[in-house]
Amino acid sequence: MVLAPIGLAVPPTAAHGLLPGLMLLWREHLPHVQVRLFEGSDEEIGQWLDGGIVDAAVLIDPDPVPQGAVRVATDTFQAVVRRDHPLAGQGSIDLSDLLDDPLLSSTAGCEPQVKRLHSLAGLRYRPAQRIRELMTLLSMVEAGLGVAVVPSLAADMLPDDLTLVPLLPRLERHLVLTGPAARPWHPHVTAIRDVCRRPASADCVSPKGVAR
C-alpha cells in the first residue's frame, strides 16, 4: 500500500547540514517512503508536531527525550568570524576572546544554548543584536558587523569568507528524530527511525566536523 508523504519538521542548521545525508539514506533503504520537509524554529517545530501538522521532527536537546526517539547527530557550538579576523585559524578560543566584538545572536532556536555557554564561562550574555534568520546573521558577520556563536552543523551554510573556530568551554547539542508523544506514530516514521538506528548509518549521515 502506498501511503501519503510524511511531514518532517527540522531546524535550519539540521536542514542544511544533516538532512541531505538522511534523505539519501532513507531513499536507499526505503524507496517507497516519501518525506516532505518543513523548516522552522524550535518553538514552531514543537507546535507543528504536537498539533499534527507534521508526523515527525528533529528536536534539539529535548528534555526528556521522547520515548522511541533516536539521536541522529551531535554537534558543538563554535564561533563564526570573518577569515580576516584575528581569531580565524585558531585551534580553539575561549568565549571571552569574543568580547572585543559585538555579539550577534540568532533567536531561531539556539539562543538558550548560547546563554548556557555564557553561563558556563562565567560571562554575561549581552548580544548587540538579536536576529531571527540565521542567514541574515551570517550576512551581518560577513559584513564585519560582529561575530556569532552557531552550531557546527551550520558549516555548510557559511559563505567563503567566513569560518568556524572551536569554542571553550565546549558545549554540545543533541539532535533526535522522533514522532509525536500524544498519538500513534505513522508507520513510515517508525521505518525512517529504524533505519537511523542501524550501526552502518552513522557514516552515511554524519556531516564533516560533526561528532557522533
Side-chain angles (χ1 to χ4, degrees):
M1 180 177 63
V2 177
L3 299 179
I6 55 174
L8 172 65
V10 294
T13 51
H16 283 263
L18 180 64
L19 259 294
L22 284 175
M23 296 290 285
L24 289 173
L25 182 71
W26 295 331
R27 187 171 69 181
E28 176 185 357
H29 294 278
L30 302 166
H32 61 289
V33 173
Q34 298 181 36
V35 178
R36 180 176 299 162
L37 299 179
F38 294 77
E39 187 175 327
S41 67
D42 289 3
E43 182 179 0
E44 290 171 331
I45 288 170
Q47 293 172 350
W48 294 342
L49 186 60
D50 292 342
I53 295 174
V54 297
D55 304 288
V58 173
L59 303 180
I60 297 173
D61 291 331
D63 185 19
V65 175
Q67 184 176 1
V70 61
R71 186 190 302 181
V72 290
T74 297
D75 66 354
T76 61
F77 284 87
Q78 301 190 12
V80 57
V81 300
R82 288 169 52 107
R83 290 191 180 274
D84 59 2
H85 191 281
L87 298 175
Q90 298 292 315
S92 64
I93 60 173
D94 292 328
L95 183 63
S96 60
D97 293 333
L98 300 178
L99 294 179
D100 291 336
D101 296 275
L103 177 66
L104 309 176
S105 183
S106 171
T107 63
C110 296
E111 192 170 32
Q113 291 93 336
V114 176
K115 288 181 178 179
R116 183 183 172 200
L117 185 63
H118 280 74
S119 178
L120 291 173
L123 300 173
R124 289 184 61 187
Y125 174 67
R126 301 176 62 180
Q129 300 286 349
R130 298 175 69 247
I131 302 138
R132 172 179 168 84
E133 297 298 331
L134 182 57
M135 295 307 297
T136 302
L137 180 146
L138 295 177
S139 294
M140 293 178 69
V141 176
E142 188 178 16
L145 297 174
V147 298
V149 176
V150 300
S152 55
L153 271 174
D156 290 343
M157 304 172 68
L158 301 185
D160 291 341
D161 53 357
L162 296 185
T163 187
L164 294 179
V165 184
L167 276 174
L168 298 175
R170 177 184 171 92
L171 180 63
E172 294 182 342
R173 68 170 190 166
H174 306 293
L175 292 85
V176 302
L177 173 66
T178 186
R183 63 183 188 277
W185 287 22
H186 190 292
H188 284 176
V189 173
T190 302
I192 64 173
R193 185 275 315 272
D194 290 345
V195 168
C196 292
R197 281 180 166 170
R198 299 180 184 181
S201 298
D203 291 337
C204 298
V205 302
S206 293
K208 181 179 180 181
V210 177
R212 288 300 298 263

